[in-house]
Amino acid sequence: QTKFIVILNLFMKSISSLPALALLIFAFSSVSNATHGVDFSVWQGNMTVDAFACLHGRSYTFATIQAWQGSGKINPYFKSDYANAKKVGMGPVDLYAFICNNCGSNDPKTVVETLNSELPSDFDGRIWLDIEPCQSPLCWSLNFTKNMEYVKEVISTAKAHGWKLGIYCSHYAYLAIFGTLTDSSIYELPLWYAHYDNNPSFSDFTPFGGFTKPYAKQYLGTQDICGT
């Protein structure tokens, strides 16, 4: 089975004000056959067709777009960004949702049904659940069980709508939010983890939270390219 490695910069996107674009890489076992892509959030604003054409022309062939900001808000640019990425032939074009149970208007039904009503009619990608802590304000309960039950409910609600899911979470974030709790509804999904070591391989991966192997890795931080 093909292994994929991804470089993404999702960390704290929901509260970050950094304007630069994040670089991603899908790779088969080595850097030499990596496929590059981009990941961005509401902070990049409306990405134009020309911006995507520039990125695609530099061999960044796929995109992951923030759709849910984590504070009860849709990214107002995600649908136009999705359409523009598709126009220049990028693919896959995935989405991500920053979820948290201590954020306003962020209950599972609201998150899933609001976002589901806004999905482009031709959307066929994966939606990544971005699970990570934030301190100002505290966006997760201090109760690990409540946090686990919340994510399980998001997953079950999303699956009822036919979403293809993945989990974005680091080892540190998992311990901070769930402690030592595990659940198969979470760890059976593809895992995208972060480790900024500039090493496009899974050689650093240590199992956590029931995840025994990764699908993707984030190993570089935010970059500036094509004026974005």
Side-chain angles (χ1 to χ4, degrees), residues 21-44:
L21 198 69
L23 299 185
L24 307 79
I25 290 180
F26 271 113
F28 300 101
S29 61
S30 68
V31 178
S32 62
N33 40 0
T35 302
H36 298 252
V38 291
D39 158 44
F40 48 91
S41 71
V42 66
W43 299 106
Q44 276 75 56

Side-chain angles (χ1 to χ4, degrees), residues 65 67 74 77-84 86 93-95 114-125 127:
I65 303 166
I74 292 284
Y77 311 110
F78 96 87
K79 287 190 283 187
S80 62
D81 289 344
Y82 175 84
N84 289 342
K86 298 285 276 190
V93 181
D94 286 348
L95 302 175
T114 304
L115 180 52
N116 195 69
S117 69
E118 298 287 338
L119 291 177
S121 58
D122 64 339
F123 179 70
D124 59 358
I127 297 179

Side-chain angles (χ1 to χ4, degrees), residues 6-129:
V6 184
I7 302 177
L8 299 167
N9 186 40
L10 298 182
F11 186 64
M12 302 299 276
K13 273 242 176 27
S14 66
I15 58 175
S16 169
S17 59
L18 293 176
L21 198 69
L23 299 185
L24 307 79
I25 290 180
F26 271 113
F28 300 101
S29 61
S30 68
V31 178
S32 62
N33 40 0
T35 302
H36 298 252
V38 291
D39 158 44
F40 48 91
S41 71
V42 66
W43 299 106
Q44 276 75 56
N46 190 5
M47 295 281 290
T48 65
V49 171
D50 287 345
F52 280 113
C54 173
L55 291 164
H56 196 255
R58 297 190 184 191
S59 299
Y60 297 100
T61 60
F62 71 95
T64 301
I65 303 166
Q66 180 201 56
W68 184 259
Q69 298 186 55
S71 54
K73 296 179 182 177
I74 292 284
N75 175 357
Y77 311 110
F78 96 87
K79 287 190 283 187
S80 62
D81 289 344
Y82 175 84
N84 289 342
K86 298 285 276 190
K87 280 179 184 176
V88 302
M90 298 186 90
V93 181
D94 286 348
L95 302 175
Y96 77 86
F98 184 94
I99 62 170
C100 44
N101 66 356
N102 212 30
C103 306
S105 302
N106 219 38
D107 63 277
K109 185 176 181 180
T110 297
V111 174
V112 174
E113 293 189 355
T114 304
L115 180 52
N116 195 69
S117 69
E118 298 287 338
L119 291 177
S121 58
D122 64 339
F123 179 70
D124 59 358
R126 189 179 302 277
I127 297 179
W128 295 89
L129 302 180

